[in-house]
Every structure is written in structure tokens, then in C-alpha cells.
């Protein structure tokens, strides 16, 4: 049994005896090719000749993910839409749906955008107060909290007699 090789009828991959898969699901995991439901070889060839190996040929319908990472979960959440491509290998592409009235981060502008790019910056300066409470954020509007201050300010020592320029 150690020298037995098996060729996958879908993609031609060669497996050793101990690597032979027990199931053969398509990429979207809707169809199991382990059990051949075709009545004759000509029907199997007619169905699979124009299809990628291991694809069922149906619409993928996996839930799509947002490109942006949420602050609370630190992961990509589902946008609520499903993949419209035919059953395919690898990750699903970004969501192609159009979303009307997508506000920029500051809320000053609104436009129709692709669902995968619905969070956007109008390019205006953030100007939110930084944690040092002396300077404001110089970056364009952005999601989440502002970065630490990289500027210097005149800071006094505890005796208040001396001061010096130090990083915030």
C-alpha cells in the first residue's frame, strides 16, 4: 500500500496512499465530488470541460469581508454581501457592490462608493487634540484614535524655575 499512487480525476494531482483525500469538496464547499453522480463518462466530460478543477461551477456565495479592521474586534467583519464569482480557489475578491451616501471619516462629504472602500477620507486635516493637549493631529481624517504626538514643546520642571524643549 505504501507504493500506491492515486491521481485526482479533477485536477490530476498525484497522492500517495496515505494522502488520498476521503472527501472532495468544491472550493465553496457546496458540492462533494467524492460520489460520482454522472451516469456516463460523456456527461462528466461535458459538465467539467469548461470548469476549473474542483469547482462546482455555481456562484460562490461565501460572505465577503470588509477591508477595514474594526477597532473593537481588531478583525475584518462581514459586509453582509456574498461573493458573486463562480466557485473559485483562494480568497474572494473585495465586495463590488455600490453603496450610496457613504460619509467620509469626518462626515463633511458623502458619495457613492464600492462596499469594500466605503470607509474613506476626504483629505481634510484631522485637527483633533493629541494626548499631549498642546498639539493637534496633522494627519488627514482617519479611522480610530490619533497617533502619539511627535512634536516637542516647552516643558517646565517640577520646581517651575527651569524649562526645556522636550518631546511631548
Amino acid at each position: 500500500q505504501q507504493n500506491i499512487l492515486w491521481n485526482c480525476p479533477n485536477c490530476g494531482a498525484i497522492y500517495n496512499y496515505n494522502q488520498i483525500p476521503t472527501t472532495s469538496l468544491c472550493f465553496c464547499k457546496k458540492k462533494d465530488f467524492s460520489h460520482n453522480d454522472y451516469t456516463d463518462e460523456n456527461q462528466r466530460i461535458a459538465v467539467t470541460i469548461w470548469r476549473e478543477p474542483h469547482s462546482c461551477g455555481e456562484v460562490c456565495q461565501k460572505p465577503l469581508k470588509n477591508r477595514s479592521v474594526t477597532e473593537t474586534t481588531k478583525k475584518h467583519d462581514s459586509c453582509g454581501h456574498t461573493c458573486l464569482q463562480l466557485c473559485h480557489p483562494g480568497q474572494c475578491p473585495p465586495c463590488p457592490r455600490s453603496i450610496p451616501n457613504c460619509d467620509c471619516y469626518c462626515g463633511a462629504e458623502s458619495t457613492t462608493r464600492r462596499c469594500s472602500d466605503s470607509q474613506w477620507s476626504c483629505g481634510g486635516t484631522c485637527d483633533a487634540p493629541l494626548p499631549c493637549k498642546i498639539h493637534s493631529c496633522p494627519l488627514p481624517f482617519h479611522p480610530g484614535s490619533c497617533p502619539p504626538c511627535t512634536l516637542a514643546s516647552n516643558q517646565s520642571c517640577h520646581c517651575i524655575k527651569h524649562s526645556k524643549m522636550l518631546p511631548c
Side-chain angles (χ1 to χ4, degrees), residues 39-103:
T39 53
D40 66 16
E41 185 65 12
N42 290 335
Q43 185 181 11
R44 184 188 73 76
I45 291 170
V47 171
T48 61
I49 195 164
W50 299 111
R51 211 169 48 204
E52 183 167 1
H54 297 289
S55 172
C56 65
E58 296 178 17
V59 176
C60 174
Q61 293 184 330
K62 286 182 186 172
L64 294 174
K65 295 180 173 63
N66 283 335
R67 270 193 188 164
S68 57
V69 177
T70 61
E71 283 294 310
T72 53
T73 60
K74 300 292 183 200
K75 65 179 184 179
H76 298 275
D77 290 333
S78 172
C79 69
H81 301 124
T82 58
C83 182
L84 302 174
Q85 289 190 345
L86 296 182
C87 182
H88 59 89
Q91 293 183 348
C92 296
C95 186
R97 302 267 175 120
S98 292
I99 307 292
N101 304 322
C102 288
D103 292 336

